[in-house]
Amino acid sequence: EPNSMVVEPRPRISGMAEPGMLVAVFDGASLLGQTEVLADGTFELVPAADLSEGRHDLTTTATDAAGRVSAPSRAVAIVIDLAPPLTPAITAPVAGEVLATTKPRVTGTAEGGARVEVSTGGTTIGDGRSGTDGRFSLLPYLSLAQGDHLLVAVAIDAAGRRSGPSAPVGVRVQVPSSDSPLVSRRERLEQALESLKYERRRCAGIS
């Protein structure tokens, strides 16, 4: 596919041309190989040698039985990427931080466009995608239990290849108990807001 990322050094190159023609496939000015177009108008070629990592601009020409060669096709760019994604890093929360929530926002850096999974104790608690600037930010979809946790991030690229784990970040979840003055004040505020909403609905004639 045009402008696609390829994770193998000898990608299968396919296309369409007039049946019986001899198709030559080029990487820039280098000939990768030749193959005959089948009766259904399709052709396929696997390079005999590995392509190097990076961008390759592929073109084709077709030669008929009389030896006449067509003009080159429009170039199709592919990128050979054989390496797994770079190891991500968690930048927040920081090591030793005490968290007052069971679902802390986790931020960090990773290879641009990679999916990032954050886990603790072998269980994935959330995932997100890094931007083109290589930064990610995610909220866990699983709650952390009270106590100590080691957070680890792994990056996964479009081909499903996983990076090595990030350096673990040790944190402690310490959410105030229900009888804490902080929680009590929060509960009173929430109750007051609910009462205000009820009074507004009642004054508006909404039961």
Side-chain angles (χ1 to χ4, degrees):
E1 295 182 4
N3 302 311
S4 63
M5 184 169 291
V6 180
V7 297
E8 54 186 321
R10 301 187 188 188
R12 191 174 300 276
I13 301 166
S14 59
M16 301 190 69
E18 186 178 326
M21 301 280 274
L22 183 66
V23 170
V25 180
F26 295 88
D27 175 15
S30 301
L31 177 65
L32 296 182
Q34 295 179 309
T35 186
E36 187 174 339
V37 182
L38 301 178
D40 62 357
T42 63
F43 68 86
E44 189 174 270
L45 181 138
V46 175
D50 291 353
L51 300 183
S52 61
E53 285 201 85
R55 175 176 170 138
H56 296 265
D57 294 310
L58 306 181
T59 59
T60 60
T61 61
T63 304
D64 64 15
R68 293 172 296 191
V69 182
S70 72
S73 67
R74 184 179 61 182
V76 172
I78 63 171
V79 177
I80 304 292
D81 182 7
L82 305 179
L86 300 173
T87 301
I90 295 174
T91 56
V94 297
E97 187 170 346
V98 177
L99 307 172
T101 175
T102 59
K103 291 185 176 182
R105 180 171 294 278
V106 181
T107 61
T109 58
E111 186 172 297
R115 185 165 64 87
V116 180
E117 289 182 351
V118 174
S119 62
T120 180
T123 299
T124 300
I125 61 170
D127 62 65
R129 191 167 297 278
S130 62
T132 55
D133 61 355
R135 299 180 183 276
F136 70 87
S137 176
L138 62 90
L139 281 174
Y141 44 72
L142 293 182
S143 297
L144 296 174
Q146 296 268 35
D148 296 332
H149 298 272
L150 285 176
L151 302 180
V152 176
V154 172
I156 305 167
D157 66 15
R161 295 173 301 186
R162 301 175 70 87
S163 72
S166 68
V169 174
V171 297
R172 172 169 293 179
V173 175
Q174 191 171 311
V175 179
S177 62
S178 58
D179 58 357
S180 163
L182 175 63
V183 175
S184 298
R185 288 196 298 271
R186 183 186 303 120
E187 288 177 346
R188 287 196 295 271
L189 177 60
E190 290 174 349
Q191 291 170 358
L193 288 174
E194 286 300 320
S195 297
L196 179 60
K197 290 177 182 177
Y198 173 76
E199 287 299 324
R200 286 179 175 174
R201 290 197 299 269
R202 187 174 65 83
C203 293
I206 303 175
S207 58

